Amino acid sequence: MFTQYSFLKPFISLCLASWLGVSYFGDARSSPDPANPGPKAGNPKIDKLKLPEGFRAEHLYSPSEAGQGSWVSMTFDDKGRMIASDQYGALYRLQLPKAGENAKPKVEKLTVGLMQPNDTTKKIGMGYAQGLLYAFNSLYVMVNHQGSPGFEKTSGLYRLQDTDGNDTYDKVTLLKSLKGEGEHGPHSIVPAPDGKSLYVMAGNFTDIPKMDAYRLPPVWNEDNIFPLIPDPRGHATDRKAPGGWIANTDSLGQRWELTGAGFRNSFDMAFNEAGDLFCFDSDMEWDFGMPWYKPTRVLHITSGSEFGWRTGSISWSPDFADNLPAVINIGQGSPTGVFHGKDARFPDKYKKALFIFDWSFGIIYAVHLQPRGSSYTARAEEFISGAPLPLTDGVIGPDGAMYFLTGGRRLESDLYRVYYDGKADAAALASTSAPAGNASINDASKLRRSLERYHGQPRKGAIAAAWPNLKHEDRFIRHAARIAVEHQPLSGWQEKALKETDPLILTQAIIALARNGKPDVKDRMLQALTKVNYSKLSQTGRLDLLRALELVFYRMGKPEGAVREGIIAYFNPHYPAKTNALNRSLSKVLVYLEAPGAVEKTMALLQNAVDDPAGKTVSSSSDLIMRNPQYGLDIASMLSKVPPAQQTYYATVLSQAKTGWTPELHEQYFKWIANAFTYKGGNSYVGFIDRARKMALANVPRDQFEKYNTLSGADLLTGSGNDLATVPQPRGPGKNWKVETALPLVETGLVSRNYEQGKNMFAATLCLSCHAMRGEGGSVGPDLTQLGTRFSAKDMLVHIIDPNKEVSDQYAATVFLMKDGSSVVGRLAGEDKDKYLVSQNPFAPDMLREIPRKDVTSTKLSKVSLMLPGLINRLNEEELKDLVAYLVAGGNQDNDVYKAGKAATPAAAGKAGKSK
């Protein structure tokens, strides 16, 4: 459900409590003047929200405060009541007050099955739902659970009915059992646009059950000859194609049809007014910095769609011809809720928007879709944000207001309502968009949909309709055409494919044949592809042809003899190419074929390749650093020295090369590997580089192994190869330190402390990253060398444990509110009449971002410290005492705190340090 960063996770909940961001302008009612936000609501749960002009927010309920868990899904029933589910517990039903009423909701634990009304036991009749939908006079519940005492039901789609009209659900029917649970398990349920069926969604840890029909042909495979490196930390290493999936079923759950797959972990989905389906898919944040990393993204889910999630290093490129691209890339985050605004009493632009939730950074985006061909492009704006605001689910209620939940992972949970009370025509607000599926659609979309009628089963006329569209300029139409072909009997189109002379149609036809054909036509397929005049193809045409070739290799085996030599002769003159994209595909194919000169050419690229400009995302990684320090410092560390992704790609390709090496090339390669460990990537970056290193070492002469093992940085690594052997980490066990529990450890005096351990804890708790001590360390915060001369142990602990208690203007962050409604947070490092210079990365404070003054409406100093709370929570008592002693001593090893039998208080320690 929620992707997770590993950095500092022992104190995640404490960090969540002091997220940075744009919350300092938040209000119950938005204000057109951000510099003067107007009166606060007096409720911090509302005051932290940033809202668009004309909107108002109400905090309705806190289930966690009522002991009802942390809610992650909701729906409205036919009587206008909300039904919500605890992630790890029961269902609840709420009768909500009207907007503006100063009243509390009526909340009841939902009576299900044989439970008695007002049952006060811990027994749960139904719950653990990550998807809820009221439809067909029934409540549909997507249980995400492996079964436990008190709630024996396991993952699957359930239908709850009230058969006797007494307002309780007395009948529970399991419609489909599902194998999978947890945050990548079964998720949401939405009604089809025609109101006659349901769509369900599941993450990539949920097996696809046997379906009655498949719009995406069930011939999926991993389909990548790039070297497979499973996630070094063990995530999803046993998960195979096609990953997360979406299916359609009738109201009785009797017929199931697979719609699409290849998602990583989309939690929710929604139809727009044209009846097109969208989801918000997650990234694999541990892959940040790797060439296969893909950001969170909005996807248009068409019939038979495939989006290319594969485990580890073989996740498909969005360029691959047999998967579909994103509508818009959002950036880093944790996708949760998705819904459309067509039924909202909002201004028109928001009634046409798709709303998507980011759990990690507390942002609701309004995604404004614009048709482009048979699919869409989009722009996104920050609609609502707050800190902390761990968003889980949302919906437009029967009153036209937006309702959303926060919580998940047993965090503090809240229910909000947002409605529009600004200046707008009442009739316009009251009107709803055209019912989903009835809106006007363009000719390209009509063509795509006509081809999708041939998905699922053989149909007369399919080949005639689809074949010419295999070369359509619209990628979604090409995809629909190929899937239509794949659903027809192979005997009806195999020879047609092999004899095709149009290079674009041929490429798509061979892709279809590689996925569905037999190896006995492999050589004919490869020979047909190498008859194409490569020089006359566009870059897309060349990439698609290389992809078709790769699929034949993967599905049918490596070519041999004259066929292999012919392919090498065909591509070798074109390598290296002029673009990174082509060089990725060419290097992969030619090294796989052990082409003469391929290693030498790829090594030359490895030494000098420069990454393409970063792809545009809605949220810049640097902007996220200060929205959520717990995740933000992880991002900051990565951005301080981002790995060269193109070079990393070549290094991984070369890890499988068995021939073509010279001692000089090997030496260059393994030196590059050692240097790669100096870059900062995601949590699995070091492990990925080490696995590539070890794969390459398997191909060196045995008597040279030790030489290259050392040269490639073996001594830099821990035993697992997943981390660098750098600063020792706390042994723990830690605790949630408070001033009253920490102070007694140090106020009686510090004596015979461990200098090295104190110094190590200064680094391990990230103090060194931002603060200098005796000339070593960062410059984001004040120098701490003289700290012991000015502060008592109590003062130190208060500021470490609660860094927001007092924030010096000299070290405060500035919040820049932009004209487009977004915001930027960072330290103001300089300014002139045209621009601000902002430092956003504490690990690279000299990296400055320029913000044009003309784009800024107002600025304000943040009242939240750049320093994270909870940094000492990994330390045990002895480690905490050694850290405080190191601070007291100002890093001076000759201080009294390190002498036996001579305790030092901070004041004394400071004098002792000076006297030396």
Side-chain angles (χ1 to χ4, degrees):
M1 173 183 171
F2 314 110
T3 56
Q4 58 181 326
Y5 294 79
S6 65
F7 191 71
L8 303 175
K9 58 186 177 185
F11 40 89
I12 178 173
S13 60
L14 195 58
C15 291
L16 286 168
S18 67
W19 283 358
L20 285 166
V22 295
S23 58
Y24 315 106
F25 295 116
D27 203 325
R29 187 190 300 267
S30 63
S31 168
D33 181 4
N36 298 286
K40 296 290 185 181
N43 182 345
K45 292 179 183 292
I46 291 180
D47 291 342
K48 69 184 178 182
L49 298 179
K50 171 183 175 262
L51 301 168
E53 182 178 350
F55 285 85
R56 185 169 183 173
E58 295 177 331
H59 175 257
L60 299 176
Y61 191 62
S62 294
S64 53
E65 293 179 5
Q68 295 166 340
S70 193
W71 292 2
V72 297
S73 60
M74 63 177 168
T75 188
F76 279 91
D77 67 14
D78 58 342
K79 297 180 180 179
R81 297 171 300 188
M82 177 181 288
I83 298 173
S85 180
D86 175 17
Q87 185 178 2
Y88 306 108
L91 301 182
Y92 296 89
R93 187 160 58 191
L94 294 81
Q95 184 71 52
L96 301 173
K98 293 181 180 180
E101 289 184 354
N102 186 20
K104 295 180 179 180
K106 298 177 182 179
V107 183
E108 61 175 322
K109 182 178 176 181
L110 200 61
T111 301
V112 177
L114 299 178
M115 291 180 62
Q116 297 300 312
N118 302 316
D119 190 326
T120 59
T121 70
K122 294 183 178 180
K123 184 177 179 181
I124 299 171
M126 180 58 66
Y128 289 79
Q130 291 194 10
L132 290 171
L133 174 68
Y134 190 90
F136 306 107
N137 201 31
S138 305
L139 177 64
Y140 292 88
V141 181
M142 184 64 86
V143 171
N144 184 319
H145 187 54
Q146 62 184 353
S148 62
F151 186 66
E152 290 76 21
K153 292 181 176 61
T154 57
S155 292
L157 179 64
Y158 293 78
R159 184 187 189 191
L160 278 57
Q161 295 170 278
D162 175 9
T163 62
D164 56 12
N166 69 347
D167 209 24
T168 62
Y169 294 106
D170 55 276
K171 183 178 180 181
V172 178
T173 306
L174 173 61
L175 302 185
K176 178 70 75 173
S177 179
L178 296 173
K179 185 179 179 182
E181 55 96 22
E183 294 183 357
H184 291 238
H187 294 316
S188 69
I189 322 157
V190 300
D194 61 7
K196 297 179 181 179
S197 61
L198 310 172
Y199 282 81
V200 299
M201 168 177 280
N204 63 344
F205 278 34
T206 312
D207 294 348
I208 296 181
K210 187 181 187 313
M211 298 281 173
D212 300 291
Y214 297 83
R215 287 188 166 269
L216 176 65
V219 295
W220 45 74
N221 211 320
E222 308 312 310
D223 289 336
N224 197 337
I225 62 171
F226 190 74
L228 169 60
I229 305 177
D231 179 71
R233 297 186 181 274
H235 181 80
T237 55
D238 62 341
R239 304 306 302 170
K240 304 299 181 183
W245 51 273
I246 291 175
N248 174 259
T249 187
D250 59 84
S251 63
L252 303 178
Q254 294 177 339
R255 184 181 185 276
W256 287 71
E257 180 179 60
L258 184 71
T259 301
F263 310 99
R264 182 174 184 267
N265 190 33
S266 297
F267 178 68
D268 206 353
M269 56 187 161
F271 287 93
N272 71 350
E273 70 275 18
D276 285 320
L277 183 60
F278 300 86
C279 71
F280 184 22
D281 201 19
S282 69
D283 63 343
M284 175 44 170
E285 66 281 355
W286 292 356
D287 290 355
F288 187 85
M290 305 309 295
W292 50 85
Y293 171 78
K294 290 180 281 195
T296 66
R297 52 199 188 135
V298 175
L299 305 176
H300 176 198
I301 307 158
T302 56
S303 172
S305 54
E306 158 73 85
F307 292 96
W309 177 85
R310 299 297 186 268
T311 191
S313 63
I314 61 170
S315 188
W316 292 6
S317 165
D319 291 338
F320 284 4
D322 45 335
N323 75 161
L324 292 170
V327 172
I328 186 171
N329 290 321
I330 300 298
Q332 291 171 287
S334 298
T336 49
V338 177
F339 57 92
H340 196 269
K342 55 183 176 288
D343 296 322
R345 288 178 58 89
F346 286 0
D348 191 58
K349 75 169 184 174
Y350 293 118
K351 295 167 76 73
K352 296 177 180 178
L354 184 74
F355 293 93
I356 62 174
F357 288 11
D358 176 4
W359 180 86
S360 291
F361 297 103
I363 303 171
I364 300 177
Y365 294 100
V367 179
H368 303 285
L369 300 164
Q370 295 295 325
R372 182 172 66 182
S374 71
S375 185
Y376 296 81
T377 185
R379 66 176 183 85
E381 67 168 294
E382 186 178 300
F383 181 70
I384 296 173
S385 62
L389 200 68
L391 298 153
T392 57
D393 197 15
V395 68
I396 299 299
D399 58 354
M402 175 189 292
Y403 293 82
F404 68 86
L405 290 167
T406 66
R409 292 187 181 172
R410 296 189 169 89
L411 294 178
E412 182 179 317
S413 186
D414 292 288
L415 169 64
Y416 292 86
R417 171 166 53 205
V418 174
Y419 60 94
Y420 184 76
D421 69 348
K423 296 179 181 178
D425 180 74
L429 290 178
S431 69
T432 59
S433 302
N438 294 332
S440 175
I441 61 172
N442 60 29
D443 290 342
S445 293
K446 290 177 182 177
L447 174 58
R448 172 178 55 78
R449 294 183 183 191
S450 72
L451 293 169
E452 290 170 353
R453 291 202 298 267
Y454 298 107
H455 295 180
Q457 62 185 353
R459 285 191 61 184
K460 184 178 180 180
I463 298 299
W467 205 261
N469 286 300
L470 292 174
K471 64 179 294 184
H472 200 284
E473 63 180 2
D474 186 305
R475 186 166 171 182
F476 281 75
I477 291 175
R478 291 200 302 273
H479 185 90
R482 178 177 56 78
I483 295 297
V485 169
E486 290 190 31
H487 278 292
Q488 311 315 308
L490 185 64
S491 59
W493 57 272
Q494 176 172 288
E495 281 301 313
K496 185 177 179 67
L498 292 169
K499 294 177 180 178
E500 180 60 57
T501 57
D502 185 291
L504 302 183
I505 294 177
L506 171 69
T507 298
Q508 295 294 328
I510 294 298
I511 289 174
L513 189 53
R515 287 165 44 83
N516 295 273
K518 303 297 182 183
D520 58 359
V521 293
K522 175 181 72 174
D523 289 352
R524 291 182 64 192
M525 295 165 69
L526 295 173
Q527 289 165 347
L529 289 171
T530 52
K531 287 179 182 177
V532 171
N533 188 332
Y534 185 86
S535 298
K536 291 187 177 181
L537 295 175
S538 65
Q539 170 156 305
T540 298
R542 294 177 183 183
L543 289 171
D544 289 356
L545 187 144
L546 282 158
R547 178 59 178 161
L549 200 80
E550 175 181 18
L551 287 169
V552 177
F553 294 166
Y554 190 92
R555 297 275 183 142
M556 300 178 178
K558 186 181 292 188
E560 299 176 346
V563 175
R564 169 184 170 273
E565 292 173 3
I567 296 171
I568 291 172
Y570 180 80
F571 285 110
N572 240 346
H574 301 288
Y575 182 56
K578 295 181 179 179
T579 68
N580 282 342
L582 279 171
N583 280 331
R584 285 193 292 271
S585 291
L586 286 166
S587 64
K588 178 169 59 170
V589 165
L590 291 170
V591 170
Y592 173 83
L593 293 174
E594 300 183 71
V599 168
E600 184 178 1
K601 289 179 179 181
T602 307
M603 276 301 306
L605 290 170
L606 172 64
Q607 298 294 329
N608 301 302
V610 176
D611 288 347
D612 293 325
K616 182 175 177 57
T617 58
V618 174
S619 59
S620 166
S621 294
S622 59
D623 284 339
L624 299 176
I625 292 172
M626 294 184 182
R627 286 183 178 271
N628 179 344
Q630 192 273 326
Y631 295 160
L633 280 189
D634 203 7
I635 296 174
S637 177
M638 294 185 286
L639 293 180
S640 67
K641 196 172 183 183
V642 177
Q646 186 75 8
Q647 293 181 26
T648 304
Y649 187 95
Y650 296 137
T652 309
V653 165
L654 287 167
S655 70
Q656 71 177 354
K658 295 178 172 59
T659 61
W661 293 99
T662 65
E664 292 76 20
L665 291 175
H666 261 142
E667 185 159 326
Q668 291 174 24
Y669 178 81
F670 288 115
K671 284 182 176 178
W672 185 94
I673 290 286
N675 185 64
F677 290 123
T678 68
Y679 292 100
K680 307 289 187 180
N683 199 38
S684 291
Y685 171 75
V686 170
F688 276 123
I689 296 299
D690 182 57
R691 300 311 188 272
R693 182 185 77 90
K694 290 173 178 173
M695 290 164 62
L697 285 169
N699 297 322
V700 303
R702 183 171 297 181
D703 62 351
Q704 297 293 302
F705 178 88
E706 287 302 328
K707 170 187 174 181
Y708 292 130
N709 186 44
T710 301
L711 184 65
S712 60
D715 295 340
L716 301 174
L717 302 166
T718 60
S720 69
N722 289 338
D723 299 287
L724 297 177
T726 53
V727 176
Q729 295 300 304
R731 292 189 302 271
K735 64 189 298 184
N736 188 7
W737 288 107
K738 304 294 184 184
V739 174
E740 55 269 24
T741 56
L743 187 58
L745 299 178
V746 299
E747 65 181 356
T748 56
L750 299 167
V751 63
S752 301
R753 300 317 308 165
N754 185 324
Y755 172 80
E756 288 299 328
Q757 177 160 278
K759 184 176 182 181
N760 288 337
M761 294 307 99
F762 187 74
T765 55
L766 303 184
C767 302
L768 185 65
S769 299
C770 298
H771 299 279
M773 182 71 83
R774 302 184 74 82
E776 180 182 356
S779 59
V780 175
D783 189 305
L784 301 183
T785 306
Q786 301 299 321
L787 186 69
T789 68
R790 295 179 285 122
F791 291 95
S792 68
K794 181 177 180 180
D795 290 333
M796 292 182 192
L797 288 169
V798 165
H799 284 84
I800 291 172
I801 292 170
D802 184 10
N804 300 324
K805 189 173 183 65
E806 182 179 345
V807 181
S808 166
D809 290 353
Q810 183 179 356
Y811 298 103
T814 299
V815 183
F816 299 84
L817 197 68
M818 312 301 286
K819 289 181 179 178
D820 63 4
S822 65
S823 57
V824 176
V825 185
R827 284 189 63 200
L828 180 62
E831 59 182 302
D832 58 29
K833 62 183 180 64
D834 298 317
K835 61 183 178 298
Y836 297 101
L837 298 176
V838 181
S839 174
Q840 295 183 290
N841 192 336
F843 294 120
D846 295 333
M847 293 174 57
L848 301 180
R849 173 176 176 178
E850 293 188 3
I851 303 178
R853 280 183 175 270
K854 63 181 178 61
D855 296 337
V856 178
T857 59
S858 62
T859 67
K860 185 176 182 178
L861 288 178
S862 169
K863 296 179 181 178
V864 178
S865 173
L866 293 172
M867 179 176 165
L868 286 79
L871 288 174
I872 61 173
N873 286 354
R874 290 190 294 163
L875 308 186
N876 61 35
E877 291 186 1
E878 296 304 311
E879 290 166 335
L880 178 59
K881 286 193 283 188
D882 287 333
L883 172 63
V884 175
Y886 186 75
L887 295 171
V888 165
N892 180 4
Q893 194 169 2
D894 295 328
N895 192 275
D896 286 346
V897 295
Y898 302 116
K899 296 177 181 179
K902 189 171 184 180
T905 63
K911 294 175 182 177
K914 285 183 176 180
S915 68
K916 299 291 181 183

